[in-house]
């Protein structure tokens, strides 16, 4: 099976044509869908007929370098959700969205930050990406925290899409976060220099 990315605890692989049940189960949890649909599950037929075929087509469109990938725990191999690193459908390939959706059992373990950080690094060091961006609702503080931990900052506010108006506090809108290749390089260099012991005069 094609491995897209591997961190200390998580491996990302391409979805396969027979993986619809993984996505259906993920989207059936009201807690997972809380900030996406107000808790309503995604229709299984939509996943089989639209969502999964679109994911698979993305691997061909972006030559396997970008897309939405299934996430598995290295210890035990459990499916924990997905992460994406992909352009908008008709957008420039050097501007990619970072996103994720995790099963409730995978929450609170730091997986989102661990994998998101590795994806940002991959984007800027291997894929010639110029900007990584992500969008989240104003009430989704956990998602905001992840983006901030990987160095992304708010660049603009967003109106709530019509299909998300049923989400709690949708009137607050959302935020778009971004980090550029230059910002990431500077942040990485600063983090490296701060880890070097400073000489101390006697």
């Amino acid at each position: 099976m094609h491995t897209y990315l591997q961190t200390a605890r998580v491996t990302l692989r391409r979805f396969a044509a027979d993986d619809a049940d993984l996505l259906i189960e993920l989207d059936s949890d009201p807690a997972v869908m809380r900030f996406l649909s107000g808790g309503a599950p995604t229709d299984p037929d939509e996943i089989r007929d639209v969502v999964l075929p679109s994911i698979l087509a993305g691997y061909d469109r972006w030559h396997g370098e970008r897309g939405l990938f299934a996430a598995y725990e290295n210890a035990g191999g459990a499916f924990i959700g997905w992460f994406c690193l992909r352009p908008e459908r008709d957008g420039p390939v050097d501007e990619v969205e970072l996103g994720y959706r995790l099963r409730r059992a995978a929450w609170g373990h730091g997986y989102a930050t661990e994998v998101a950080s590795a994806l940002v690094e991959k984007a800027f060091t291997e894929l010639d990406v110029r900007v990584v961006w992500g969008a989240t609702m104003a009430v989704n503080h956990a998602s905001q925290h992840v983006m901030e931990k990987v160095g992304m900052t708010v660049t603009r506010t967003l109106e709530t899409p019509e299909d998300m108006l049923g989400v709690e506090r949708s009137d607050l809108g959302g935020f778009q976060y971004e980090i550029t290749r230059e910002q990431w390089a500077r942040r990485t260099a600063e983090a490296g220099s701060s880890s070097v012991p400073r000489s101390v005069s006697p």
Side-chain angles (χ1 to χ4, degrees):
M1 179 95 42
H2 180 274
T3 296
Y4 181 71
L5 178 79
Q6 186 169 53
T7 67
R9 298 181 296 164
V10 178
T11 296
L12 301 188
R13 300 190 183 98
R14 295 184 188 182
F15 278 101
D18 59 355
D19 282 339
D21 286 346
L22 295 178
L23 294 167
I24 291 170
E25 185 272 336
L26 177 65
D27 282 17
S28 69
D29 186 337
V32 171
M33 302 301 289
R34 176 184 175 190
F35 296 122
L36 300 165
S37 66
T42 306
D43 184 276
D45 287 338
E46 181 180 352
I47 289 176
R48 294 189 187 96
D49 299 338
V50 179
V51 175
L52 184 55
S54 177
I55 292 171
L56 300 180
Y59 302 143
D60 292 330
R61 182 181 305 116
W62 298 306
H63 312 292
E65 295 183 341
R66 295 155 172 78
L68 189 148
F69 299 90
Y72 297 88
E73 288 181 332
N74 294 340
F79 172 75
I80 62 171
W82 57 254
F83 287 81
C84 75
L85 192 69
R86 60 184 178 183
E88 294 190 276
R89 185 175 183 86
D90 297 316
V93 295
D94 63 352
E95 297 181 10
V96 296
E97 177 188 11
L98 172 68
Y100 62 91
R101 189 174 302 176
L102 298 180
R103 296 176 64 192
R104 202 183 326 182
W107 295 1
H109 298 287
Y111 291 148
T113 301
E114 178 179 322
V115 179
S117 180
L119 283 171
V120 170
E121 180 177 358
K122 181 181 182 73
F124 292 135
T125 61
E126 297 180 25
L127 304 180
D128 198 27
V129 167
R130 185 177 59 84
V131 177
V132 175
W133 64 273
T136 184
M137 295 194 70
V139 293
N140 192 348
H141 301 297
S143 182
Q144 294 166 35
H145 185 58
V146 169
M147 285 188 271
E148 290 164 0
K149 288 192 74 172
V150 301
M152 303 172 77
T153 56
V154 175
T155 55
R156 64 189 179 107
T157 58
L158 303 171
E159 293 186 5
T160 303
E162 288 188 10
D163 61 349
M164 295 175 64
L165 292 176
V167 178
E168 62 186 84
R169 304 307 306 276
S170 60
D171 57 302
L172 297 178
F175 302 110
Q176 179 158 317
Y177 283 75
E178 291 183 2
I179 184 170
T180 66
R181 183 165 51 211
E182 292 75 16
Q183 289 169 334
W184 177 83
R186 185 165 58 249
R187 184 173 185 267
T188 302
E190 291 172 351
S193 64
S194 68
S195 66
V196 177
R198 298 180 181 276
S199 60
V200 180
S201 299

